[in-house]
Amino acid sequence: MSFKIAIIGAGSVGFTKKLFTDILCVPEFRDVEFALTDMSEHNLQMIKQILDTIVSSNKLPTKVTATTNRREALTGARYIISCVRVGGLEAYADDIRIPLKYGIDQCVGDTICAGGILYGQRNIPVILDFCKDIREVAEPGAKFLNYANPMAMNTWAAIEYGKVDTVGLCHGVQHGAEQIAEVLGAKSPSELDYICSGINHQTWFVDLRLNGRKIEKDELVAAFEAHPIFSQQEKLRIDVLKRFGVYSTESNGHLSEYLPWYRKRPDEITKWIDMSDWIHGETGGYLRHSTETRNWFETEFPQFVESASKPIDPAKRSNEHASHILEALETGRVYRGHFNLKNNGVITNLPSDAIIESPGFVDRFGINMVSGITIPEACAATCIASINVQRMSVHAAISGDIDLLKLAVLHDPLVGAVATPEEVWQMVDEMVVAQARWLPQYADAVPAAKERLAKSTVKTREWAGAARRDVRSIDELRAEKAALKQAV
């Protein structure tokens, strides 16, 4: 069978290579056309060379094109996959550093909290541009697979305002399940059967069965506390498990910034995080990691090309959802996964308009969600707090209403636990002014925001972060690695 897949943000070299290889693990997809598009011509040519090497080495008829003209790439596409970050690291630095001045300490800042909300303001206008092109030039009924954060906000905007058939995809559920399988002593993750439901990055393992035996809270708590590594790296997640009765999908660092209890005082943060790796809660950890490794594919390009010359091994197909969804839709082979879609009553105790993440089955008839799931009340309360923030954030991004944007930030759980309304108003003004080039919908609001900032008497806290490492440049990191090799 032959059809076209467009990948927006294909310059994300490692992820694009993974998606491409996964899709070509499906025997029926040998004749598929891949259209790569990105703002960076340099990155596009790098990834095209890698993918062309895969095609030629495996003697496939697969076609690969690359263009900075997004509309050209989307023309005639049946599936569109997005993995974009609007504003890049420059805007992302503002998402972390400006809130930190007001005492809002984030580890990642890409989902909700102050950073995630502003990230959504940058992404949503671009997502709607994608949707306009999809409606106008893609294959009729084309499906949009969104991998970009903030997942719920982007998917919400694409479905409600972009009017495109959209599903949001994330790998947090799979990673959480792998952890659980490990602590329970499973020989393989496949021995664990589970139902995970909630909203993206706040999804909860509401039913766990190991080889058919139901796993209850006490057994899971004991297993995590006995694990030599996870007991230290996931202290906050284990605490939430003890109190809520169910385990969260997200990493220690992610979960800590979605809740109002663990990151609101510097002396408290260090009790709950682990500094062995950024993902366990380091202040601005993902910003540091992204800055230090922003050009990693440049240095490892020869290895990428070398690995691309090897035969595709279907046994190494990843658990990313995209290839499995396409296989199910095109061949009818059923796939079970966890997908981000509008609720519409699937989870009984969450709002119907919310974007949920919950189990579903895919076949020729589409994505069919398992309905009638009720999540524990504490989980629902936590999710609803975030959903209310997401809803206001999406509506603010669409309307360009800076007052609604400020209300969305004010209602964020962690922001509300730390900052006063006056501080929030000033912080949002500062972020909108700093990121104005990526926020066209707020163009009329920027001059007034600048005036307010010039007259403001609100003092920032200049909080350096309770658990922060210095952000090193890529050149410093390379020099450090070279020194270590020489020393060895």
Side-chain angles (χ1 to χ4, degrees), residues 85 92 96 105-113 116 119 149-151 170-173 175 200-204 233-234 236-237 240 248-260 262-263 272-274 277-286 382 386 412 414:
R85 173 180 283 279
Y92 181 36
I96 301 300
D105 186 312
Q106 303 166 98
C107 173
V108 184
D110 70 354
T111 299
I112 58 167
C113 207
Y119 188 16
N149 285 317
M151 175 61 64
C170 183
H171 43 234
V173 173
H175 290 176
N200 182 242
H201 289 183
Q202 292 174 58
T203 322
W204 310 89
Q233 293 179 341
E234 308 288 2
L236 187 149
R237 285 171 93 181
V240 172
S248 166
T249 52
E250 279 318 300
S251 67
N252 207 68
H254 256 316
L255 185 60
S256 70
E257 62 191 2
Y258 307 146
L259 305 172
Y262 297 97
R263 296 190 78 95
W272 295 109
I273 69 171
D274 179 86
D277 196 5
W278 69 266
I279 200 168
H280 308 307
E282 175 190 339
T283 299
Y286 190 53
T382 297
S386 295
D412 177 84
L414 181 56

Side-chain angles (χ1 to χ4, degrees), residues 353-425:
D353 64 334
I355 299 300
I356 59 162
E357 187 169 68
S358 205
F361 295 83
V362 193
D363 58 17
R364 287 190 185 278
F365 296 99
I367 298 176
N368 313 285
M369 301 296 282
V370 177
S371 63
I373 293 175
T374 300
I375 63 176
E377 287 188 71
C379 300
T382 297
C383 288
I384 288 169
S386 295
I387 288 166
N388 289 335
V389 171
Q390 292 165 353
R391 184 188 295 108
M392 284 190 283
S393 299
V394 170
H395 293 165
I398 297 295
S399 65
D401 184 341
I402 196 170
D403 292 325
L404 183 57
L405 173 60
K406 291 173 178 178
L407 287 167
V409 177
L410 181 69
H411 282 82
D412 177 84
L414 181 56
V415 172
V418 173
T420 68
E422 192 176 16
E423 289 170 332
V424 171
W425 257 237

Side-chain angles (χ1 to χ4, degrees), residues 291-307:
T291 301
E292 292 177 349
T293 61
R294 66 185 181 271
N295 295 323
W296 65 272
F297 50 84
E298 297 271 7
T299 57
E300 297 185 14
F301 183 68
Q303 293 96 310
F304 266 111
V305 175
E306 181 183 356
S307 68

Side-chain angles (χ1 to χ4, degrees), residues 442-472:
Y442 294 106
D444 293 340
V446 169
K450 288 181 178 178
E451 288 184 19
R452 288 191 294 271
L453 288 171
K455 298 175 182 177
S456 175
T457 59
V458 177
K459 296 190 182 299
T460 59
R461 307 181 194 188
E462 300 300 337
W463 187 4
R468 188 177 185 183
R469 296 186 179 124
D470 290 332
V471 178
R472 295 169 291 171

Side-chain angles (χ1 to χ4, degrees), residues 183-331:
V183 301
L184 292 174
K187 296 177 182 177
S188 165
S190 63
E191 294 180 9
L192 184 73
D193 189 20
Y194 55 89
I195 296 173
C196 203
S197 195
I199 63 174
N200 182 242
H201 289 183
Q202 292 174 58
T203 322
W204 310 89
F205 289 93
V206 296
D207 189 281
L208 291 168
R209 297 172 191 269
L210 183 64
N211 294 317
R213 182 176 65 83
K214 188 171 176 61
I215 306 298
E216 302 289 357
K217 166 193 166 183
D218 290 345
E219 181 178 355
L220 190 59
V221 169
F224 268 103
E225 290 188 326
H227 195 279
I229 297 174
F230 296 151
S231 60
Q232 298 304 308
Q233 293 179 341
E234 308 288 2
K235 288 175 283 190
L236 187 149
R237 285 171 93 181
I238 294 169
D239 191 64
V240 172
L241 166 61
K242 289 178 180 178
R243 299 178 193 280
F244 283 37
V246 289
Y247 196 59
S248 166
T249 52
E250 279 318 300
S251 67
N252 207 68
H254 256 316
L255 185 60
S256 70
E257 62 191 2
Y258 307 146
L259 305 172
W261 311 303
Y262 297 97
R263 296 190 78 95
K264 62 184 178 181
R265 293 197 298 269
D267 59 331
E268 283 291 315
I269 294 175
T270 52
K271 295 179 184 178
W272 295 109
I273 69 171
D274 179 86
M275 293 291 284
S276 63
D277 196 5
W278 69 266
I279 200 168
H280 308 307
E282 175 190 339
T283 299
Y286 190 53
L287 173 62
R288 180 186 63 79
H289 171 77
S290 300
T291 301
E292 292 177 349
T293 61
R294 66 185 181 271
N295 295 323
W296 65 272
F297 50 84
E298 297 271 7
T299 57
E300 297 185 14
F301 183 68
Q303 293 96 310
F304 266 111
V305 175
E306 181 183 356
S307 68
S309 64
K310 298 176 181 177
I312 293 173
D313 183 359
K316 294 182 179 179
R317 184 179 178 184
S318 83
N319 59 9
E320 293 290 349
H321 293 300
S323 71
H324 301 280
I325 291 174
L326 269 58
E327 179 182 11
L329 290 172
E330 294 294 332
T331 72

